[in-house]
């Protein structure tokens, strides 16, 4: 019987009668800078009357006949800021955004115009057309065929627009977008441009609107009652009758259960939501170890034909927050071991291809992290899909603690978009609103936002990230989960005074480290790569994690941050252009603090020695050696001679002072009876380049890609830890290099190079290049070279 259902679903999925099509509009955009202060340099925007009548565009940039052939051709996601040079400035806004010339001070690089030509088949006339922008930074005004469509204020929450009335079936359709990045939303690097996907959806007049399905369940052991709420709307000029049903399949598409068809009568422009239920047995729970995803479908029929069908992925799981015992997933108690992260990456800024989301989440999971806070804005949908697929919990954050119509609408769009993701366990209604979080304004706004959250998603609850100590007045009076940004020593007092409110470290740590650096350097603006330096408001990793790990009432916490990010250089300013807060640098290369967290956040046996052992200038001088491990005890040896054995304190580390001599520094430890060894060696001089791709096969779809990590090594293949050689990249085949980086927070080298001239210096032995696939099945061949060193080749197979 299962085979019969499976064949039925396969035939159904390819049937041409299903009306909805979702078409990518990512490729082939034209881009040109405008000017925020001079209309003459902004294609006359501001000089012409464009809003006094519909479809008035004269000979302006809004005209479908405007000649844009000389403009730069780009594909989206696109971040124009990452391509700009670094500019020294004394303003806080510039250093917090990574010293890139964007914002009101730089009118010539803060307005971006985009134009996109596309065609629509005549046979689709009579259907509904919707343009969906997943994210544009920022304040984007949109026109189609000279008609004004709308302006999306937020740089982080996308929006959809019904453009049916403006579609041209006889020739080109032309989208024009004016992106205004003169005003920042955050205090960190944000980029600018159409930095997320764009879609054209074609659907029947009676249909399920965007984000119109909400699936949720009550679970009892291996049994579940699944409720599927389906929104249906009618855009016909007459009333409409439809039949709606829902069904669920396992991950392989095998039908498990289906509702009866339910009749619905819709008036002109009518909209209604139907609730249908399915009883399931022997369910597989979504968990961190087994992130099992089912597929939930809602179907609309008219005249015995399917006119719309939409799918959401769904995971069955239970979540509980206990004020005394902590966090529970599926009844299992464990600590939330999270990281905060902004959304940029070396080489590509904020315009991350989808494959980068999976790469970054995988790196965090390998460290032992189980949770991700999207700070401080709505994440991309693809990030959540990666967390769903790989098993990572998420705190999904609203940009601003504000209940005006604009921000209420942003919150509604965020919740409706993301509420089906099993990875999302909490909504955050805001972050560090110092002017209002401790007074009645904050309290009332919080209540308004929480009411919206409960209306749209009664299955979850909310937190707020408060940089407050043992203070209760304001938001904390009403927020279900009290969030602490730092103030770790106040958590115990707050719990004593408010024992029934669960407590979560929404921002913890903030140790600042520079990968591979072991002495403070105020000229190059580096800090030592150990858990010793932090700003006044923050703490060392070891300080906060001991408190969280040893007290049951802590739900856990989120480190600031998982990855370094552009902007907010701390404790220095220029020449720093990115932060030092990350456990991993901007490329995703681990720092030493990574091994502290991995020791206590994972069950894997860990033994890590730092620093490296190339110190010719310090022969005979003492070197402070750190060992991070979760073994019971560790013995350290220098060139075969024991330097002593020490017991490893839980949630801590070990240190030795070792008089330096070249050779081998080795540690031997035991964990649960298993022997663990680790060593660092004095290397030879650099002789060759080593290049390692994170995968060797990609889809030839123009979107997939590969991250290639490069090391400078000696003749024995050992990474030379202080090598800073310039590295050159050449790519053959149908694909492209899209970015380079090295993790140096003071590097002013370009992230983007012209074709044929891609290069990046190594920083303390490492650099990175990111490739994007083409659309043919010929191999990509990357050659990596450095003057005087043996080169490396990486071959990537492209397949359809």
């Amino acid at each position: 019987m299962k085979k019969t259902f499976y064949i039925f679903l396969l035939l159904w999925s390819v049937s041409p009668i299903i009306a909805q099509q979702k078409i990518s509009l990512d490729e082939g955009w034209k881009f040109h800078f405008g000017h925020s202060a001079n209309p003459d340099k902004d294609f006359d925007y501001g000089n012409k009357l464009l809003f006094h009548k519909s479809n008035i565009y004269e000979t302006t940039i809004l005209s479908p006949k405007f000649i844009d052939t000389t403009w730069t051709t780009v594909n989206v996601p696109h971040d124009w800021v990452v391509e700009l040079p670094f500019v020294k400035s004394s303003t806080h806004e510039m250093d917090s955004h990574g010293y890139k010339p964007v914002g009101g001070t730089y009118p010539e690089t803060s307005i971006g115009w985009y134009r996109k030509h596309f065609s629509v088949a005549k046979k689709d006339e009579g259907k509904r057309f919707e343009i969906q922008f997943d994210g544009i930074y920022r304040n984007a005004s949109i026109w189609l065929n000279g008609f004004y469509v709308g302006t999306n204020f937020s740089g982080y929450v996308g929006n959809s627009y019904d453009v049916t009335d403006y579609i041209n079936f006889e020739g080109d359709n032309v989208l024009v977008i004016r992106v205004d990045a003169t005003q920042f939303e955050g205090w960190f690097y944000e980029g600018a441009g159409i930095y997320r996907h764009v879609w054209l959806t074609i659907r029947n007049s009676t249909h399920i609107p965007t984000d119109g399905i909400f699936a949720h369940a009550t679970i009892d052991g291996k049994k579940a009652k699944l409720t599927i709420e389906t929104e249906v709307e009618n855009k016909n000029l007459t009333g409409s009758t439809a039949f709606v049903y829902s069904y669920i399949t396992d991950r392989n598409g095998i039908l498990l259960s289906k509702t009866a068809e339910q009749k619905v009568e819709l008036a002109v422009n009518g909209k209604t939501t139907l609730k249908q239920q399915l009883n399931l047995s022997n369910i597989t729970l979504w968990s961190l170890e087994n992130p099992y995803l089912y597929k939930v479908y809602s179907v609309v029929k008219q005249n015995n034909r399917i006119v719309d069908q939409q799918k959401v992925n769904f995971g069955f799981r239970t979540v509980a927050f206990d004020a005394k015992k902590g966090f529970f997933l599926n009844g299992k108690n464990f600590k939330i071991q999270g990281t905060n992260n902004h959304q940029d990456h070396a080489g590509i800024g904020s315009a991350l291809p989808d494959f980068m989301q999976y790469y970054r989440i995988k790196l965090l999971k390998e460290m032992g992290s189980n949770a991700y806070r999207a700070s401080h804005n709505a994440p991309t949908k693809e990030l959540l899909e990666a967390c769903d697929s790989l098993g990572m919990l998420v705190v999904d954050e609203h940009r601003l603690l504000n209940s005006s119509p604009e921000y209420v609408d942003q919150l509604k769009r965020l919740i409706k978009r993301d509420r089906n993701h099993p990875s999302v366990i909490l909504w955050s209604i805001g972050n560090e609103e110092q002017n209002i979080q401790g007074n009645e304004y904050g309290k009332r706004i919080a209540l308004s936002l929480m009411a919206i959250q409960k209306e749209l998603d009664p299955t979850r609850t909310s937190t707020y990230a408060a940089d407050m100590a043992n203070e209760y007045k304001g938001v904390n009076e009403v927020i279900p989960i009290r969030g602490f940004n730092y103030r770790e020593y106040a958590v115990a007092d707050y719990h004593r005074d408010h024992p029934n409110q669960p407590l979560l470290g929404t921002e913890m740590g903030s140790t600042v480290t520079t990968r591979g650096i072991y002495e403070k350097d105020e000229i190059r603006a580096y800090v030592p790569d150990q858990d010793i330096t932090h700003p006044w408001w923050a703490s060392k990793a070891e300080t906060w994690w001991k408190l969280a790990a040893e007290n049951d009432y802590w739900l856990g916490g989120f480190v600031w941050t998982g990855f370094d990010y552009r902007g907010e250089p701390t404790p220095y300013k220029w020449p720093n252009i990115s932060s030092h807060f990350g456990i991993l640098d901007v490329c995703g290369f681990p720092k030493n603090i990574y091994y502290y967290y991995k020791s206590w956040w994972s069950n894997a046996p860990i033994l890590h020695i730092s620093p490296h052992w190339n110190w010719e200038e310090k022969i005979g001088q003492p070197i402070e050696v750190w060992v991070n491990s979760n073994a019971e005890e560790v013995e350290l040896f220098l060139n075969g001679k024991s330097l002593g054995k020490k017991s490893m304190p839980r949630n801590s580390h070990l240190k030795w002072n070792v008089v330096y001599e070249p050779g081998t520094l080795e540690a031997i430890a035991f964990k649960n009876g298993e022997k663990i060894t680790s060593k660092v060696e004095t290397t030879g001089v650099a002789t060759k380049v080593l290049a390692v791709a994170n995968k060797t096969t990609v889809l030839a779809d123009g979107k997939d890609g590969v991250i290639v990590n490069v090391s400078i090594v000696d003749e024995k293949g050992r990474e030379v830890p202080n090598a800073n050689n310039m590295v050159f990249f050449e790519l053959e085949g149908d694909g492209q290099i899209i970015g380079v980086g090295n993790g140096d927070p003071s590097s002013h080298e370009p992230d983007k190079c012209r074709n044929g001239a891609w290069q990046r210096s190594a920083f303390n032995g490492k650099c990175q290049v990111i490739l994007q696939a083409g659309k043919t099945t010929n191999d990509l061949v990357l050659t990596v070279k450095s003057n005087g060193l043996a080169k490396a080749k990486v071959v990537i197979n492209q397949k359809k």
Side-chain angles (χ1 to χ4, degrees), residues 778-799:
N778 63 323
D779 289 347
L780 294 178
V781 180
L782 177 72
T783 302
V784 185
K785 297 190 282 190
S786 184
N787 293 337
L789 306 183
K791 64 185 177 183
K793 279 187 182 288
V794 176
V795 179
I796 307 296
N797 176 251
Q798 300 191 114
K799 67 176 185 179

Side-chain angles (χ1 to χ4, degrees), residues 515-798:
R515 178 179 58 77
I517 298 293
Y518 293 95
E519 293 179 346
K520 185 177 180 181
D521 185 337
E522 295 187 351
I523 303 300
R524 294 182 296 174
Y526 298 147
V527 285
D529 191 9
Q530 301 289 17
D531 186 21
I532 56 177
T533 310
H534 62 82
W536 65 265
W537 67 82
S539 75
K540 295 186 293 184
E542 201 164 309
T543 301
W544 87 267
W545 179 244
K546 281 183 177 179
L547 293 171
E550 296 167 7
N551 291 286
D552 291 343
Y553 57 81
W554 277 70
L555 298 170
F558 294 82
V559 182
W560 190 265
T561 51
F563 294 87
D564 278 346
Y565 56 93
R566 297 162 187 272
E568 279 199 303
T570 307
Y572 305 109
K573 303 303 179 186
W574 184 271
N576 267 180
I577 48 82
S578 65
S579 81
H580 299 266
F581 291 116
I583 301 169
L584 304 109
D585 69 18
V586 289
C587 293
F589 297 135
K591 305 180 189 178
N592 286 319
I593 200 169
Y594 169 96
Y595 298 96
Y596 171 76
Y597 283 111
K598 189 167 185 175
S599 294
W600 305 113
W601 282 10
S602 77
N603 294 321
I606 304 300
L607 183 60
H608 176 74
I609 306 170
S610 60
H612 59 76
W613 213 238
N614 281 27
W615 299 102
E616 290 183 5
E617 73 280 12
K618 293 191 175 185
I619 291 175
Q621 298 180 35
I623 301 287
E624 187 173 76
V625 174
W626 288 49
V627 173
N628 286 112
S629 181
N630 49 17
E632 288 86 10
E633 62 179 15
V634 178
E635 187 171 8
L636 192 66
F637 298 83
L638 177 59
N639 294 329
K641 180 182 178 180
S642 177
L643 302 178
K645 186 182 292 186
K646 296 185 180 184
S647 297
M648 175 63 71
R650 185 157 184 80
N651 299 312
S652 189
H653 71 282
L654 296 174
K655 285 195 291 190
W656 280 261
N657 277 314
V658 179
V659 176
Y660 179 74
E661 63 180 58
T664 300
L665 189 67
E666 183 177 24
I668 298 177
F670 289 88
K671 178 178 172 61
N672 299 325
E674 178 186 351
K675 183 179 179 180
I676 318 168
T677 64
S678 180
K679 65 182 179 180
V680 292
E681 296 179 295
T682 307
T683 72
V685 297
T687 60
K688 55 186 174 181
V689 175
L690 179 68
V692 179
N694 73 310
K695 54 187 176 182
T696 56
T697 302
V698 294
L699 291 174
D701 60 359
K703 296 180 181 295
D704 198 4
V706 176
I707 298 90
V708 179
N709 292 326
V710 176
S711 298
I712 307 299
V713 301
D714 69 4
E715 61 182 3
K716 294 183 179 180
R718 300 172 298 189
E719 184 173 283
V720 180
N722 50 6
N724 296 324
N725 305 57
M726 181 61 71
V727 180
F728 304 93
F729 305 98
E730 297 174 2
L731 185 65
E732 301 172 57
D734 178 28
Q736 60 178 328
I737 299 173
I738 60 172
V740 288
N742 63 9
D744 180 354
S746 294
S747 174
H748 298 166
E749 295 177 62
D751 295 273
K752 306 280 189 179
C753 305
R754 61 181 175 82
N755 287 335
W758 283 94
Q759 64 180 50
R760 191 65 182 245
S761 63
F763 176 61
N764 293 329
K766 298 179 184 291
C767 63
Q768 184 177 83
V769 58
I770 303 170
L771 314 180
Q772 193 156 49
K775 293 186 176 181
T776 63
T777 56
N778 63 323
D779 289 347
L780 294 178
V781 180
L782 177 72
T783 302
V784 185
K785 297 190 282 190
S786 184
N787 293 337
L789 306 183
K791 64 185 177 183
K793 279 187 182 288
V794 176
V795 179
I796 307 296
N797 176 251
Q798 300 191 114

Side-chain angles (χ1 to χ4, degrees), residues 56 66 111 130 148 153 177 221 254 268 294 357 417 423 439 452 506 537 579 583 592 668 719 769:
I56 294 294
F66 179 89
I111 301 293
E130 181 179 272
Y148 173 71
F153 178 79
I177 321 290
I254 297 174
V268 176
Y294 292 82
Q357 307 292 354
R417 190 196 71 172
S423 57
N439 58 37
I452 293 164
T506 38
W537 67 82
S579 81
I583 301 169
N592 286 319
I668 298 177
E719 184 173 283
V769 58

